[in-house]
């Protein structure tokens, strides 16, 4: 690979890192062609981009990026694949689901929502991270619950203030 080609790859990786808010580093070495194809298919279905990268080029792209990848540059040893996603837990879910039948991929580290996670021990914690849409849905559900209580209290008590207060105090207990 010529110097110009390396420079082009580093710029391309830097752009991809900048465009993605969630970056996972995994080891998929040892997977045969069929398993690798299955993993790529699972990533595609989950809207996760999977790429095999050279550690040195990825390290240079991370260094030239605006993001603070912290300890992730130190774990770039051996085989490294990069998983990019807009949903914070999507790559973790793909890895966990795929590992039900295989021992790979192994999570090396992740950059999720400006936080750095190093090691496979964080896989379950990363799976449990809620996406922005999931959090908004939960908040809306929590906000709707008190409103539904008030509306049902108004309907059940016939609209009299004493009845409304009585119904609401019963709901609190």
């Amino acid at each position: 690979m010529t110097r110009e080609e390396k420079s082009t790859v580093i710029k391309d990786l830097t752009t991809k890192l900048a465009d993605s808010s969630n970056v996972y580093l995994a080891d998929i070495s040892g997977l045969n062609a069929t398993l690798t194809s299955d993993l790529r298919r699972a990533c595609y279905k989950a809207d996760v981009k999977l790429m095999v990268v050279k550690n040195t080029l990825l390290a240079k792209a991370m260094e030239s990026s605006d993001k603070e990848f912290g300890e992730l540059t130190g774990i770039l040893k051996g085989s490294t694949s990069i998983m990019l996603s807009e949903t914070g837990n999507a790559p973790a879910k793909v890895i966990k689901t795929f590992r039900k039948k295989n021992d790979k991929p192994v999570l090396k580290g992740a950059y999720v929502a400006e936080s750095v996670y190093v090691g496979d021990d964080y896989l379950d914690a990363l799976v449990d991270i809620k996406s922005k849409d999931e959090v908004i849905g939960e908040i809306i559900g929590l906000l709707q619950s008190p409103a539904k209580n008030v509306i049902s209290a108004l309907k059940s008590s016939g609209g009299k203030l004493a009845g409304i207060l009585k119904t609401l105090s019963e709901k609190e207990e």
Side-chain angles (χ1 to χ4, degrees), residues 121-159:
D121 297 338
Y122 287 102
L123 185 61
D124 289 330
L126 290 167
V127 167
D128 293 338
I129 290 177
K130 295 187 187 292
S131 71
K132 181 171 67 171
D133 292 337
E134 291 171 329
V135 171
I136 290 171
E138 284 185 10
I139 291 170
I140 289 171
L142 291 171
L143 292 174
Q144 285 178 341
S145 181
K148 287 179 183 176
N149 289 341
V150 170
I151 291 170
S152 69
L154 288 171
K155 288 180 181 176
S156 68
S157 65

Side-chain angles (χ1 to χ4, degrees), residues 27-36 39 98 102-105:
D27 177 6
I28 64 169
S29 65
L31 293 179
N32 62 29
T34 304
L35 291 175
T36 302
L39 178 62
F98 201 78
N102 306 287
D103 60 340
K104 298 272 178 140

Side-chain angles (χ1 to χ4, degrees), residues 3-21:
R3 187 173 290 189
E4 292 83 23
E5 291 172 332
K6 287 180 182 179
S7 178
T8 303
V9 170
I10 291 170
K11 286 179 186 174
D12 184 45
L13 278 173
T14 304
T15 302
K16 287 180 179 177
L17 292 174
D19 292 344
S20 182
S21 55

Side-chain angles (χ1 to χ4, degrees), residues 69-109:
F69 289 103
E71 300 173 49
L72 290 183
T73 54
I75 62 170
L76 295 175
K77 294 175 178 65
S79 176
T80 303
S81 296
I82 186 170
M83 300 172 89
L84 305 172
S85 174
E86 289 306 311
T87 307
N89 61 0
K93 287 181 178 179
V94 169
I95 291 171
K96 188 165 184 160
T97 302
F98 201 78
R99 287 212 340 223
K100 289 179 181 176
K101 297 180 182 176
N102 306 287
D103 60 340
K104 298 272 178 140
V106 174
L107 177 68
K108 293 172 94 174

Side-chain angles (χ1 to χ4, degrees), residues 158-170:
K160 298 195 181 207
L161 186 57
I164 294 171
L165 292 174
K166 180 182 176 193
T167 305
L168 287 176
S169 66
E170 289 172 1

